Amino acid sequence: MNKSTIGHALTAHAKTVGDIDLADIARFDRFHVAEDGMLLDYSRHWIDEEIWQLLSQYADAADLSGARALLFAGGLVNKSEGRAALHPATRGSPGGDTSQQEIIRKQQTHMAQTIEDWHGRGICQVLHIGIGGSHLGPSLVVDALAKPEMAKRCRFLTSHDAAQRARLVDDLDLKTTAVVIVSKSFTTGETIENARLVRELYQHQNLDPSSYFYAVTAVPEKAQEWGIDQGHILSILPEIGGRYSLWSSVGITAAWAIGVKAFEQLRAGARAMDQHFLSRPWDQNMPVIMALLGIWYRNFLDQRAHIIAPYHDGLRLLPPFLQQLEMESNGKRVDQFGELLNHKTVPVLLGLPGTDCQHAFFQALHQGTDVIGVDFILTKTSTRALQAHGLAQGQALMVGHKDPDPERTCPGHRPSTTLVLDDLSPHHLGRLLALYEHKTFVQGVIWGVNSFDQMGVELGKRIARDLLERLEGADQLRTDDTHDRLDGSTAGLLRYLRKPSLS
Amino acid sequence: MNKSTIGHALTAHAKTVGDIDLADIARFDRFHVAEDGMLLDYSRHWIDEEIWQLLSQYADAADLSGARALLFAGGLVNKSEGRAALHPATRGSPGGDTSQQEIIRKQQTHMAQTIEDWHGRGICQVLHIGIGGSHLGPSLVVDALAKPEMAKRCRFLTSHDAAQRARLVDDLDLKTTAVVIVSKSFTTGETIENARLVRELYQHQNLDPSSYFYAVTAVPEKAQEWGIDQGHILSILPEIGGRYSLWSSVGITAAWAIGVKAFEQLRAGARAMDQHFLSRPWDQNMPVIMALLGIWYRNFLDQRAHIIAPYHDGLRLLPPFLQQLEMESNGKRVDQFGELLNHKTVPVLLGLPGTDCQHAFFQALHQGTDVIGVDFILTKTSTRALQAHGLAQGQALMVGHKDPDPERTCPGHRPSTTLVLDDLSPHHLGRLLALYEHKTFVQGVIWGVNSFDQMGVELGKRIARDLLERLEGADQLRTDDTHDRLDGSTAGLLRYLRKPSLS
């Protein structure tokens, strides 16, 4: 069957999902996968055998196997930028040619040596300057795996915000701090500006920045030009997208905080998930299962939001990490040939650690007017109380509650996924993050988008340069502020921002 | 016109919003409000004069004025719990009778005296134990207004997570720490369990907990029973809901961190917004404007998500705070009479501080398939670069970009609100938070829901108690785990969680 025939069949099935008995005792055995200390329970979803088969065929109709092979062969999956996506290779999985794999090995060695140098030099803190993909992955890993006393020694400076700089930089002892500037292009506005300001702090204390500053970039010559010592420049391949880069030298701050050995285990965990994704049939393949469920709800049941609820303090940055991973990768409206899509792509993602989310916005999941799916992520090593709450939310959403008082009634029949990790070890965290990477890839393939570019963010950057000139320029309104280049709102806001404050 | 006639007219207008020229130079003058150091620009929205008039009439048809009067008269707005909502009164606005207002004044005095005692006793840290509404508001205020060195001395312990406790408690010097247990009912599972565990730490160090422990609760006798000294119990009125409670004694940790005077200014700012909400006509009334725009997009244009993008490091907790405020208040599906609603209620909210969000998920706003509205929040005292980026995103979403390359094209015509505060002072933060409180109230009135209860969260708590027993009970599967009380998924997950780990 082709994609459109299967789509029609799925549309027909979508009308009957209310009849599926999610609580059926036999469903768990059919709809779960357990492997290598990780369980994926997808039995609480609006699927039955027939729907599941159709979804699998939908993946086949999009040639998922072919796309997967292309990814792991280092093929041209990022067409708009004319590039492969080599993040699997950064953790030792297939992808790229031998020379690229050799470069990756050298980069890993360079990273490990740099960390050893830091130990030898008495580096006690790392100031990591980067934003977006240069920040979210490493800071998630630090939060998840570093001991609290090491996590406190990692500072992540991201934005053009003086308040953030004051909070993160003012109390640092600069002479025991390594400064790592992470920017693939080495032109990211926020990052280079923050680097410049921190360099001034070093200079004011008569410390030689070249001894403390490091760069992680795909354009080493730019870093050198900026003043970073050649030996302090850790390179990454241009084929590594920011949001897929934590496994590369971009992860240096995390590798320092958790130790190079643990960082290797993290990479090995991701590698294990690569193997899983490469080798398992669709209905035992965790990323494929999660991706297909997402497609089902998004494209056939019109759901537009998805919740990430990790029941582990160490995963509190997982929701923003996945917001970037999924929404930047698949927040697209044209296919790889530039044709406008006639279906919806990525939903919005949001989340908070459980049980915080239960006391925050879960009310809307239980009794709101939209059905919103949830990924519950539990670990076997958590307290029983935390596990009980995680389990209970999924059960409550599913079974609901009838009450004489309609205000106490919960409709139930609301779907969720439960992932259980043996523990939050480097290995399992690596698997978990790679699981979502591949889920994102599979959805990109089915939606037909390029998951590896982010053309939509360029426009705002360009406009910001123009507006900054206008804000910094004359104190008076520039004559062309009312020119046809400027809309009424922007002109009005510029005028207002230039006026002195009341208070 | 009645609500349904206006609704039909709005539905007709919804079909033509694509024709509205958002960039029109005259729109800013018509569609903005500036007052007391705060600007609200709502000119980049899919409204024109006629739509705006209809929306205003929609508010009238829901008797917004009457509902507002009831709120500020301390009337029965929370019918299911048989209560008023007296949060305006906690900041000195009307609401409640003279005796309740007198109690509130005494509570404020007690809070200020307690803080003075702490200064006298050399308290250097506050461990605040609470979750949800007992946590999000105070921690937001600390992040936004406290000096970094004071913010570090405030620890917020929320959940049943041993990893969180280790991170936040292990390095505390207990004998200079005040422990504040915040629970309206003094029965919140997470909070009481955490309090118990921290009390054990004090006992192990031979420190008398009764000298260090404080409670904030509406049920003082329960706190006393638990072992809190009577003089250490700060009471709150039962008419203060958790997510509306930061202005009361619940804010004690924030008041300690920023100083009682600044906390008074925060309350005065909220009071100023109460006055604004009470006195301005709808089209100069900020909370009403924001609420009506939300209703327009949600109920007539089928938008289901809303982004909060504060361009200030100090507002990084605003998105989770507003998630709770709006989604817990209005995530309901029955009206105050228990009738099932035939319209949608609260959308999902998400956000990250700018410019981080630009480098994370804004791709999906610019080029994704759903239109999602954004609140940009800027301050006049931020760096020009940060302001330029905030302005640029709103402009980019609106004007879009045509490109020969379809992958670089941004469709534009995407709506956003811009709020500009003179600075992030206590006064303006108070106004900002009260603005969203009243926006939430107005939407609740129009949707016809009770914004002040949260019946949907009870079911999960009840189930969790049952599951905890099963998890903690016998090591073996309990015979009734396959009983009809348990669905297949819950039974399977319980079995899996009880099995020893692989790793």
Side-chain angles (χ1 to χ4, degrees), chain A residues 235-281:
Chain A
S235 62
I236 52 169
L237 290 172
E239 290 84 0
I240 310 301
R243 56 192 175 275
Y244 298 92
S245 68
L246 79 93
W247 325 98
S248 73
S249 319
V250 168
I252 186 168
T253 303
W256 174 75
I258 68 175
V260 170
K261 198 177 145 198
F263 193 74
E264 279 306 313
Q265 292 165 346
L266 179 83
R267 291 172 72 241
R271 198 158 65 234
M273 184 53 71
D274 292 337
Q275 273 309 313
H276 171 97
F277 176 46
L278 269 166
S279 61
R280 297 295 180 276

Short mmCIF file of all heavy atoms in Angstrom, two decimals, chain A residues 235-281:
data_model
loop_
_atom_site.label_atom_id
_atom_site.label_comp_id
_atom_site.label_asym_id
_atom_site.label_seq_id
_atom_site.Cartn_x
_atom_site.Cartn_y
_atom_site.Cartn_z
N SER A 235 38.24 21.05 17.59
CA SER A 235 37.39 21.18 16.41
C SER A 235 36.26 20.16 16.42
O SER A 235 36.30 19.13 17.10
CB SER A 235 38.24 21.03 15.14
OG SER A 235 38.82 19.75 15.11
N ILE A 236 35.22 20.51 15.71
CA ILE A 236 34.12 19.56 15.45
C ILE A 236 33.88 19.54 13.94
O ILE A 236 34.20 20.51 13.24
CB ILE A 236 32.81 19.93 16.19
CG1 ILE A 236 32.43 21.39 15.90
CG2 ILE A 236 32.92 19.70 17.68
CD1 ILE A 236 31.03 21.75 16.38
N LEU A 237 33.32 18.46 13.47
CA LEU A 237 33.03 18.36 12.04
C LEU A 237 31.85 19.26 11.68
O LEU A 237 30.91 19.41 12.48
CB LEU A 237 32.68 16.92 11.67
CG LEU A 237 33.82 15.91 11.72
CD1 LEU A 237 33.28 14.48 11.53
CD2 LEU A 237 34.88 16.22 10.66
N PRO A 238 31.86 19.84 10.48
CA PRO A 238 30.71 20.65 10.06
C PRO A 238 29.44 19.83 9.96
O PRO A 238 28.34 20.38 9.99
CB PRO A 238 31.11 21.15 8.66
CG PRO A 238 32.50 20.69 8.40
CD PRO A 238 32.94 19.77 9.48
N GLU A 239 29.58 18.51 9.90
CA GLU A 239 28.39 17.64 9.76
C GLU A 239 27.71 17.35 11.10
O GLU A 239 26.84 16.48 11.18
CB GLU A 239 28.80 16.31 9.10
CG GLU A 239 29.17 16.42 7.64
CD GLU A 239 30.63 16.83 7.41
OE1 GLU A 239 31.35 17.04 8.43
OE2 GLU A 239 31.04 16.95 6.26
N ILE A 240 28.11 18.07 12.15
CA ILE A 240 27.48 17.87 13.46
C ILE A 240 26.61 19.09 13.76
O ILE A 240 27.11 20.19 13.98
CB ILE A 240 28.54 17.74 14.58
CG1 ILE A 240 29.61 16.73 14.22
CG2 ILE A 240 27.87 17.39 15.91
CD1 ILE A 240 29.10 15.35 13.95
N GLY A 241 25.31 18.90 13.78
CA GLY A 241 24.41 20.01 14.10
C GLY A 241 24.45 20.31 15.59
O GLY A 241 24.66 19.41 16.40
N GLY A 242 24.23 21.57 15.95
CA GLY A 242 24.30 21.97 17.35
C GLY A 242 23.50 21.09 18.28
O GLY A 242 24.00 20.59 19.28
N ARG A 243 22.24 20.84 17.93
CA ARG A 243 21.37 20.09 18.85
C ARG A 243 21.70 18.60 18.88
O ARG A 243 21.09 17.86 19.64
CB ARG A 243 19.91 20.33 18.51
CG ARG A 243 19.53 20.01 17.08
CD ARG A 243 18.14 20.56 16.73
NE ARG A 243 17.79 20.38 15.34
CZ ARG A 243 18.12 21.20 14.34
NH1 ARG A 243 18.84 22.29 14.59
NH2 ARG A 243 17.77 20.96 13.10
N TYR A 244 22.65 18.18 18.05
CA TYR A 244 23.09 16.77 18.04
C TYR A 244 24.56 16.66 18.47
O TYR A 244 25.20 15.65 18.21
CB TYR A 244 22.94 16.18 16.63
CG TYR A 244 21.50 16.16 16.14
CD1 TYR A 244 20.97 17.22 15.39
CD2 TYR A 244 20.67 15.09 16.44
CE1 TYR A 244 19.66 17.20 14.96
CE2 TYR A 244 19.36 15.06 16.00
CZ TYR A 244 18.85 16.12 15.27
OH TYR A 244 17.55 16.10 14.85
N SER A 245 25.09 17.70 19.10
CA SER A 245 26.54 17.80 19.23
C SER A 245 27.11 17.43 20.58
O SER A 245 28.32 17.47 20.76
CB SER A 245 26.98 19.23 18.89
OG SER A 245 26.52 20.13 19.89
N LEU A 246 26.27 17.06 21.54
CA LEU A 246 26.84 16.91 22.89
C LEU A 246 27.86 15.79 22.98
O LEU A 246 28.68 15.77 23.89
CB LEU A 246 25.72 16.74 23.93
CG LEU A 246 25.06 15.38 24.10
CD1 LEU A 246 25.74 14.57 25.20
CD2 LEU A 246 23.61 15.59 24.48
N TRP A 247 27.81 14.84 22.04
CA TRP A 247 28.73 13.69 22.04
C TRP A 247 30.13 14.08 21.57
O TRP A 247 31.07 13.33 21.76
CB TRP A 247 28.17 12.60 21.13
CG TRP A 247 26.68 12.53 21.17
CD1 TRP A 247 25.80 13.07 20.27
CD2 TRP A 247 25.87 11.91 22.17
NE1 TRP A 247 24.51 12.83 20.65
CE2 TRP A 247 24.51 12.11 21.81
CE3 TRP A 247 26.16 11.19 23.34
CZ2 TRP A 247 23.45 11.63 22.57
CZ3 TRP A 247 25.10 10.71 24.09
CH2 TRP A 247 23.76 10.93 23.70
N SER A 248 30.24 15.21 20.92
CA SER A 248 31.51 15.67 20.34
C SER A 248 32.27 16.51 21.36
O SER A 248 31.94 16.53 22.54
CB SER A 248 31.22 16.51 19.09
OG SER A 248 30.70 17.77 19.49
N SER A 249 33.26 17.25 20.90
CA SER A 249 34.03 18.14 21.79
C SER A 249 33.15 19.18 22.45
O SER A 249 33.55 19.78 23.45
CB SER A 249 35.13 18.85 21.01
OG SER A 249 35.75 18.00 20.09
N VAL A 250 31.97 19.42 21.90
CA VAL A 250 31.02 20.35 22.54
C VAL A 250 30.72 19.91 23.96
O VAL A 250 30.40 20.71 24.84
CB VAL A 250 29.72 20.45 21.69
CG1 VAL A 250 28.61 21.16 22.43
CG2 VAL A 250 30.01 21.17 20.36
N GLY A 251 30.85 18.61 24.21
CA GLY A 251 30.57 18.06 25.55
C GLY A 251 31.70 18.22 26.54
O GLY A 251 31.62 17.67 27.65
N ILE A 252 32.74 18.99 26.20
CA ILE A 252 33.94 19.00 27.05
C ILE A 252 33.66 19.38 28.50
O ILE A 252 34.21 18.79 29.43
CB ILE A 252 35.05 19.91 26.44
CG1 ILE A 252 36.33 19.78 27.27
CG2 ILE A 252 34.60 21.36 26.31
CD1 ILE A 252 37.56 20.40 26.61
N THR A 253 32.78 20.36 28.70
CA THR A 253 32.50 20.78 30.08
C THR A 253 31.84 19.64 30.86
O THR A 253 32.17 19.38 32.03
CB THR A 253 31.60 22.03 30.07
OG1 THR A 253 32.26 23.04 29.31
CG2 THR A 253 31.31 22.54 31.46
N ALA A 254 30.93 18.94 30.19
CA ALA A 254 30.29 17.79 30.83
C ALA A 254 31.32 16.69 31.10
O ALA A 254 31.33 16.08 32.17
CB ALA A 254 29.17 17.27 29.95
N ALA A 255 32.20 16.46 30.13
CA ALA A 255 33.21 15.40 30.30
C ALA A 255 34.14 15.73 31.46
O ALA A 255 34.54 14.84 32.23
CB ALA A 255 34.01 15.22 29.00
N TRP A 256 34.46 17.01 31.63
CA TRP A 256 35.28 17.42 32.77
C TRP A 256 34.53 17.17 34.09
O TRP A 256 35.09 16.64 35.04
CB TRP A 256 35.64 18.91 32.63
CG TRP A 256 36.35 19.46 33.83
CD1 TRP A 256 37.65 19.26 34.19
CD2 TRP A 256 35.79 20.31 34.84
NE1 TRP A 256 37.94 19.91 35.35
CE2 TRP A 256 36.83 20.57 35.78
CE3 TRP A 256 34.54 20.88 35.06
CZ2 TRP A 256 36.63 21.38 36.90
CZ3 TRP A 256 34.34 21.69 36.18
CH2 TRP A 256 35.38 21.92 37.09
N ALA A 257 33.23 17.53 34.08
CA ALA A 257 32.46 17.44 35.33
C ALA A 257 32.16 16.01 35.75
O ALA A 257 32.11 15.71 36.95
CB ALA A 257 31.15 18.22 35.19
N ILE A 258 31.96 15.12 34.79
CA ILE A 258 31.59 13.75 35.15
C ILE A 258 32.77 12.80 35.00
O ILE A 258 32.71 11.65 35.42
CB ILE A 258 30.40 13.22 34.31
CG1 ILE A 258 30.77 13.02 32.83
CG2 ILE A 258 29.20 14.16 34.44
CD1 ILE A 258 29.66 12.38 31.99
N GLY A 259 33.85 13.27 34.40
CA GLY A 259 35.01 12.41 34.17
C GLY A 259 34.97 11.82 32.77
O GLY A 259 33.89 11.51 32.25
N VAL A 260 36.13 11.67 32.17
CA VAL A 260 36.20 11.20 30.78
C VAL A 260 35.65 9.78 30.66
O VAL A 260 35.00 9.44 29.67
CB VAL A 260 37.66 11.29 30.26
CG1 VAL A 260 37.81 10.60 28.93
CG2 VAL A 260 38.07 12.77 30.14
N LYS A 261 35.86 8.98 31.70
CA LYS A 261 35.38 7.60 31.64
C LYS A 261 33.85 7.56 31.58
O LYS A 261 33.26 6.85 30.76
CB LYS A 261 35.89 6.84 32.87
CG LYS A 261 35.84 5.34 32.70
CD LYS A 261 36.42 4.63 33.91
CE LYS A 261 35.63 3.36 34.15
NZ LYS A 261 35.82 2.82 35.50
N ALA A 262 33.21 8.35 32.43
CA ALA A 262 31.75 8.39 32.42
C ALA A 262 31.24 8.95 31.10
O ALA A 262 30.21 8.51 30.57
CB ALA A 262 31.23 9.23 33.59
N PHE A 263 31.97 9.92 30.56
CA PHE A 263 31.56 10.49 29.28
C PHE A 263 31.63 9.43 28.18
O PHE A 263 30.78 9.37 27.30
CB PHE A 263 32.45 11.70 28.94
CG PHE A 263 31.91 12.55 27.81
CD1 PHE A 263 30.82 13.38 28.00
CD2 PHE A 263 32.49 12.51 26.54
CE1 PHE A 263 30.32 14.17 26.96
CE2 PHE A 263 31.99 13.28 25.50
CZ PHE A 263 30.90 14.11 25.71
N GLU A 264 32.65 8.57 28.25
CA GLU A 264 32.74 7.45 27.31
C GLU A 264 31.55 6.50 27.46
O GLU A 264 31.03 5.97 26.48
CB GLU A 264 34.05 6.68 27.54
CG GLU A 264 35.26 7.32 26.91
CD GLU A 264 35.04 7.58 25.42
OE1 GLU A 264 34.56 6.69 24.70
OE2 GLU A 264 35.31 8.72 25.00
N GLN A 265 31.14 6.29 28.70
CA GLN A 265 29.97 5.42 28.93
C GLN A 265 28.70 6.04 28.36
O GLN A 265 27.83 5.35 27.84
CB GLN A 265 29.80 5.16 30.43
CG GLN A 265 30.92 4.28 31.00
CD GLN A 265 30.97 4.32 32.52
OE1 GLN A 265 30.36 5.18 33.16
NE2 GLN A 265 31.73 3.40 33.11
N LEU A 266 28.62 7.34 28.48
CA LEU A 266 27.48 8.06 27.90
C LEU A 266 27.46 7.84 26.39
O LEU A 266 26.41 7.51 25.80
CB LEU A 266 27.62 9.55 28.22
CG LEU A 266 26.55 10.50 27.69
CD1 LEU A 266 25.34 10.51 28.63
CD2 LEU A 266 27.10 11.93 27.57
N ARG A 267 28.61 8.00 25.75
CA ARG A 267 28.70 7.79 24.31
C ARG A 267 28.39 6.34 23.95
O ARG A 267 27.72 6.05 22.96
CB ARG A 267 30.08 8.20 23.79
CG ARG A 267 30.32 9.71 23.85
CD ARG A 267 31.76 10.10 23.51
NE ARG A 267 32.06 9.94 22.10
CZ ARG A 267 32.98 9.14 21.60
NH1 ARG A 267 33.73 8.40 22.41
NH2 ARG A 267 33.18 9.07 20.31
N ALA A 268 28.88 5.42 24.79
CA ALA A 268 28.61 4.01 24.52
C ALA A 268 27.12 3.71 24.64
O ALA A 268 26.58 2.88 23.89
CB ALA A 268 29.42 3.13 25.48
N GLY A 269 26.45 4.38 25.57
CA GLY A 269 25.01 4.20 25.70
C GLY A 269 24.30 4.66 24.44
O GLY A 269 23.40 3.97 23.92
N ALA A 270 24.69 5.80 23.93
CA ALA A 270 24.09 6.30 22.69
C ALA A 270 24.37 5.33 21.54
O ALA A 270 23.50 5.05 20.71
CB ALA A 270 24.64 7.69 22.36
N ARG A 271 25.59 4.79 21.54
CA ARG A 271 25.97 3.81 20.50
C ARG A 271 25.07 2.57 20.60
O ARG A 271 24.62 2.03 19.58
CB ARG A 271 27.44 3.44 20.71
CG ARG A 271 28.10 2.80 19.53
CD ARG A 271 29.61 2.97 19.61
NE ARG A 271 30.21 2.27 20.74
CZ ARG A 271 31.00 2.84 21.66
NH1 ARG A 271 31.29 4.14 21.61
NH2 ARG A 271 31.50 2.15 22.65
N ALA A 272 24.78 2.14 21.82
CA ALA A 272 23.90 0.98 22.00
C ALA A 272 22.52 1.29 21.43
O ALA A 272 21.88 0.42 20.81
CB ALA A 272 23.81 0.62 23.48
N MET A 273 22.04 2.50 21.62
CA MET A 273 20.73 2.86 21.07
C MET A 273 20.79 2.94 19.54
O MET A 273 19.83 2.58 18.86
CB MET A 273 20.23 4.17 21.68
CG MET A 273 18.83 4.60 21.24
SD MET A 273 17.51 3.35 21.45
CE MET A 273 17.34 3.29 23.24
N ASP A 274 21.92 3.42 19.00
CA ASP A 274 22.09 3.40 17.54
C ASP A 274 21.91 1.98 17.02
O ASP A 274 21.21 1.73 16.04
CB ASP A 274 23.49 3.91 17.15
CG ASP A 274 23.70 5.40 17.44
OD1 ASP A 274 22.70 6.13 17.53
OD2 ASP A 274 24.87 5.81 17.59
N GLN A 275 22.57 1.04 17.70
CA GLN A 275 22.48 -0.37 17.29
C GLN A 275 21.06 -0.90 17.39
O GLN A 275 20.58 -1.62 16.51
CB GLN A 275 23.41 -1.24 18.16
CG GLN A 275 24.83 -1.32 17.64
CD GLN A 275 24.89 -1.71 16.17
OE1 GLN A 275 24.22 -2.65 15.73
NE2 GLN A 275 25.67 -0.97 15.37
N HIS A 276 20.41 -0.53 18.46
CA HIS A 276 19.01 -0.93 18.66
C HIS A 276 18.16 -0.40 17.50
O HIS A 276 17.40 -1.14 16.88
CB HIS A 276 18.53 -0.38 20.01
CG HIS A 276 17.07 -0.54 20.27
ND1 HIS A 276 16.54 -1.58 21.00
CD2 HIS A 276 16.01 0.22 19.88
CE1 HIS A 276 15.21 -1.47 21.04
NE2 HIS A 276 14.87 -0.37 20.38
N PHE A 277 18.31 0.88 17.22
CA PHE A 277 17.54 1.52 16.15
C PHE A 277 17.84 0.86 14.80
O PHE A 277 16.94 0.65 13.97
CB PHE A 277 17.88 3.02 16.12
CG PHE A 277 17.24 3.81 15.01
CD1 PHE A 277 15.89 3.67 14.70
CD2 PHE A 277 18.00 4.71 14.27
CE1 PHE A 277 15.30 4.42 13.66
CE2 PHE A 277 17.42 5.46 13.24
CZ PHE A 277 16.07 5.31 12.94
N LEU A 278 19.10 0.49 14.60
CA LEU A 278 19.51 -0.10 13.32
C LEU A 278 19.00 -1.53 13.14
O LEU A 278 18.81 -1.99 12.01
CB LEU A 278 21.05 -0.12 13.24
CG LEU A 278 21.70 1.10 12.61
CD1 LEU A 278 23.20 1.10 12.90
CD2 LEU A 278 21.45 1.12 11.09
N SER A 279 18.80 -2.22 14.25
CA SER A 279 18.64 -3.67 14.09
C SER A 279 17.27 -4.23 14.46
O SER A 279 16.93 -5.33 14.06
CB SER A 279 19.70 -4.38 14.95
OG SER A 279 19.51 -4.04 16.31
N ARG A 280 16.46 -3.49 15.21
CA ARG A 280 15.21 -4.09 15.69
C ARG A 280 14.06 -3.89 14.70
O ARG A 280 13.97 -2.85 14.05
CB ARG A 280 14.80 -3.49 17.04
CG ARG A 280 15.77 -3.75 18.17
CD ARG A 280 15.88 -5.22 18.54
NE ARG A 280 16.83 -5.38 19.63
CZ ARG A 280 18.15 -5.48 19.47
NH1 ARG A 280 18.71 -5.46 18.27
NH2 ARG A 280 18.94 -5.62 20.52
N PRO A 281 13.19 -4.91 14.63
CA PRO A 281 11.97 -4.72 13.82
C PRO A 281 11.14 -3.59 14.43
O PRO A 281 11.26 -3.29 15.62
CB PRO A 281 11.25 -6.06 13.95
CG PRO A 281 11.78 -6.68 15.20
CD PRO A 281 13.19 -6.19 15.35
#
